[in-house]
Amino acid sequence: MNKQILVLQGPNLNLLGTREPNIYGIKRLEEIHREMVEYAAEFGLVLHFLQSNHEGSIIDAIQQAVGTYQAIIINAAAFTHYSVAIRDAISAVNIPTIEVHISNIYSREDFRNHSVIAPVVTGQITGFGSASYLLALQAANFIINQRDDN
Ligand code: DQA
């Protein structure tokens, strides 16, 4: 039973730890990824990570995920709010996808209240700090097991 998850991190998330720590916390991306790998091992999930500041790289990764990954976890960061191209890529590949945000996008500036990818993802986790990623792993595991039961 293959349980490979692609974890995509969008623009500026490479700066976690120093970037607006009052909003995004003090953990660096590497630390979050380490915690994810540890947590994923409990579920037998294998994780692959890509952080990119470039929309096209994220789209390429989504397209190339077909046939290899059983789920995608994506924090599209600012692209969340306007990238129709990332939305279309998610919609095109038909891989269960979990949208993640560290902060609660609905309690911030108006322009963050709208996610263009939300209608095409399986579900969204927003506002739990870095634990949002661990909750997303639980969700991914749930989705994959549900699929295997059918
Ligand atoms: C974010 C929220 C976005 O609005 C913002 O542009 C980010 C991070 C989050 O994880 O809370 O870069 O996706």
Side-chain angles (χ1 to χ4, degrees):
M1 194 171 43
N2 211 355
K3 290 184 167 190
Q4 303 223 68
I5 313 283
L6 178 62
V7 181
L8 296 175
Q9 304 278 17
N12 300 307
L13 294 173
N14 54 315
L15 301 179
L16 285 178
T18 56
R19 174 192 181 199
E20 301 182 272
N22 52 320
I23 296 172
Y24 299 114
I26 54 166
K27 281 184 194 162
R28 295 171 59 81
L29 192 62
E30 298 73 33
E31 204 176 333
I32 292 172
H33 286 176
R34 243 193 333 269
E35 287 180 357
M36 288 181 80
V37 167
E38 262 175 42
Y39 196 61
E42 292 180 27
F43 302 118
L45 302 174
V46 177
L47 308 183
H48 296 262
F49 298 98
L50 174 75
Q51 188 280 325
S52 180
N53 295 326
H54 305 280
E55 191 178 16
S57 303
I58 293 171
I59 293 164
D60 287 343
I62 294 168
Q63 290 184 7
Q64 288 158 14
V66 177
T68 303
Y69 296 101
Q70 284 65 58
I72 296 173
I73 291 173
I74 181 167
N75 185 346
F79 291 145
T80 303
H81 311 298
Y82 66 90
S83 177
V84 175
I86 290 177
R87 173 200 165 115
D88 285 351
I90 293 168
S91 192
V93 296
N94 210 19
I95 298 171
T97 297
I98 299 148
E99 175 183 354
V100 169
H101 301 286
I102 297 167
S103 63
N104 180 347
I105 59 170
Y106 301 102
S107 67
R108 300 183 60 195
E109 301 95 326
D110 286 353
F111 68 88
R112 295 186 204 277
N113 293 173
H114 184 66
S115 164
V116 299
I117 69 172
V120 298
V121 297
T122 311
Q124 185 193 64
I125 296 168
T126 184
F128 296 94
S130 62
S132 290
Y133 290 103
L134 304 183
L135 295 170
L137 286 172
Q138 275 191 33
N141 188 51
F142 174 77
I143 291 165
I144 291 171
N145 289 341
Q146 216 179 24
R147 176 210 61 188
D148 289 341
D149 288 346
N150 288 327

